[in-house]
Amino acid sequence: MKKIIGLVGIISITVGLMSIKYKDNSDPIYYNIEQLRKLYSSGDPKSWPSATIDPATKNFQDIGAIQKPNHPETNPYSEAKRELGKTLFFDPRLSNSKQISCASCHDPALGWGDGKPVSHGEDRQAGTRNAKSILNVAYASPLFWDGRAIDLEDQARFPVKDPKEMANHVDVAVKTIKKIKGYKTLFKEAFGDEKIDEDRIFKAIATFERTIVSRKSKFDKFIEGDAKQLTDKEIQGLHLFRTKARCINCHNSQYFSDNQFHNLGLTYYKRKYEDLGLYAQTNDPKDVGKFRTPSLRDVTYTGPYMHNGLFPTLRGVLNMYNAGMPNRKLPEGYEKDPTYPVNSELLHVLELNEEELQALEAFLGAISSPVYREPAPESLPQ
């Protein structure tokens, strides 16, 4: 039997048999694939094998089936408001050039992202970060890679005024929408009267965005009781995701994200492409290089990956995590630089073999369902 030194002790794998020996020297628990199939598809998460949870992990919630999101009391849902928000989402007249809409960077045909390492906006200016997919964004808080928006209503304002995105003033964008007679009926249906203002525009857009939710994946159906949904390799990947591969420490809950911020070593500190992440919002040295954990749902459709779109493929991401991510040796005297970035303590060399990497990638496919492609409005208000 080949033994692999793991992060929580020893993980031994034979054909069809997986075991975990824990740090506290408790007896190892052995599972074959059929046992894992039975446990994970039982419909009872309490019967699942224990997950490998690091002491530094915050607000842990185990992974689970996707549920319908809630709408806030301050912005309750209505079909009319959703339809208004959808129309505004696809309307390029919110931008200075009248050529860029929300959908320009969040295209339903591209997994609600744009398929680029970084987005392009006004005058084809390149941004500095990858456009996150808005799939399941109702579960995200705060918003953006650096957490600068508290909710979707707040988030929707930022692209309008960003000089590299829509490059407009919010008040100018509002005036533009006010001048379009065709919008008056839509606002009346959504809010009860024809008043058009900043608050209503962004509430409508946020309402639409909260309805962009993943379809149920093979994984969802499997853990709800359909034991035939996953292959043996996908089940192995699921178990690795929750144990040896340690993915679940950051990619947890039904959203497959902890909504926390972590430094993965991709800061490019004091080099070209430097991005200090959360630090730009907090000015706290501990936040240098931290970025919000993205969701992994439908991840096979939402590349390229990382805040700067560095990795075009999932396998590249997995290989880097397997190596412990970039972890440069701390230079002599680094402690004299209070903003020198230090990688997250949740990162470790994983020592996953080729079979395990393939299984993990297969599982990521199993939590990816064909993305719902919301059709654009047939015409915009005039």
Side-chain angles (χ1 to χ4, degrees), residues 74-375:
T74 53
N75 187 16
Y77 176 82
S78 74
E79 186 63 26
K81 194 188 297 182
R82 181 192 189 276
E83 287 304 306
L84 170 60
K86 172 182 171 178
T87 304
L88 291 164
F89 185 90
F90 283 93
D91 196 332
R93 291 171 293 187
L94 284 170
S95 70
N96 177 55
S97 65
K98 309 298 187 288
Q99 295 179 354
I100 301 166
S101 70
C102 303
S104 298
C105 295
H106 301 287
D107 189 334
L110 296 171
W112 295 94
D114 62 9
K116 302 173 184 177
V118 296
S119 297
H120 292 82
E122 182 81 1
D123 295 330
R124 295 296 297 168
Q125 293 181 86
T128 58
R129 292 178 181 161
N130 177 259
K132 275 190 175 186
S133 169
I134 62 165
L135 275 163
N136 309 307
V137 72
Y139 302 108
S141 179
L143 282 301
F144 290 108
W145 286 104
D146 58 13
R148 64 184 183 272
I150 59 173
D151 55 29
L152 280 172
E153 288 78 5
D154 184 32
Q155 180 275 332
R157 292 172 166 81
F158 282 87
V160 174
K161 60 187 180 181
D162 191 306
K164 289 188 175 182
E165 295 187 58
M166 293 184 178
N168 208 353
H169 294 282
V170 171
D171 56 348
V172 173
V174 173
K175 288 178 181 178
T176 299
I177 299 301
K178 280 184 175 181
K179 292 177 182 178
I180 301 171
K181 293 181 179 179
Y183 266 116
K184 294 185 182 297
T185 299
L186 295 179
F187 274 84
K188 183 175 182 179
E189 291 173 349
F191 293 101
D193 59 58
E194 295 181 353
K195 179 184 175 183
I196 298 174
D197 62 14
E198 175 182 343
D199 182 66
R200 287 183 171 185
I201 286 174
F202 296 120
K203 278 186 174 180
I205 293 174
T207 297
F208 170 68
E209 290 179 329
R210 286 191 178 95
T211 66
I212 307 303
V213 179
S214 293
R215 294 170 172 172
K216 282 196 174 184
S217 65
K218 291 172 60 179
F219 162 77
D220 295 315
K221 297 172 184 177
F222 176 76
I223 63 170
E224 288 179 336
D226 187 348
K228 295 181 180 180
Q229 281 288 328
L230 298 191
T231 66
D232 288 355
K233 180 169 285 190
E234 290 165 345
I235 293 171
Q236 182 188 9
L238 162 59
H239 193 57
L240 287 165
F241 187 95
R242 297 183 68 253
T243 54
K244 180 183 178 183
R246 297 172 52 88
C247 312
I248 200 168
N249 282 281
C250 297
H251 295 284
N252 52 54
S253 81
Q254 62 170 328
Y255 183 47
F256 280 80
S257 168
D258 61 359
N259 279 317
Q260 302 291 316
F261 295 82
H262 306 281
N263 180 3
L264 304 181
L266 300 177
T267 309
Y268 292 88
Y269 188 66
K270 293 186 177 180
R271 292 176 289 163
K272 187 178 180 181
Y273 305 123
E274 178 187 78
D275 192 334
L276 303 185
L278 182 62
Y279 174 76
Q281 308 306 317
T282 67
N283 291 316
D284 186 337
K286 296 193 298 297
D287 292 334
V288 172
K290 290 184 178 181
F291 296 90
R292 190 171 69 81
T293 306
S295 170
L296 293 183
R297 280 195 174 272
D298 297 337
V299 68
T300 60
Y301 301 100
T302 58
Y305 307 100
M306 300 299 182
H307 74 271
N308 53 5
L310 180 63
F311 296 103
T313 66
L314 279 175
R315 185 55 185 267
V317 177
L318 293 178
N319 287 342
M320 188 63 82
Y321 272 112
N322 197 30
M325 296 300 289
N327 197 0
R328 293 184 300 164
K329 184 178 179 181
L330 295 175
E332 184 176 348
Y334 83 93
E335 66 277 358
K336 296 179 182 179
D337 180 355
T339 59
Y340 195 89
V342 178
N343 283 12
S344 169
E345 61 188 304
L346 295 175
L347 295 173
H348 299 269
V349 176
L350 300 176
E351 298 187 351
L352 299 169
N353 61 32
E354 177 62 24
E355 177 190 355
E356 291 168 326
L357 287 167
Q358 290 179 10
L360 200 55
E361 189 168 7
F363 174 65
L364 294 178
I367 60 176
S368 299
S369 56
V371 175
Y372 172 64
R373 297 184 179 185
E374 179 84 22

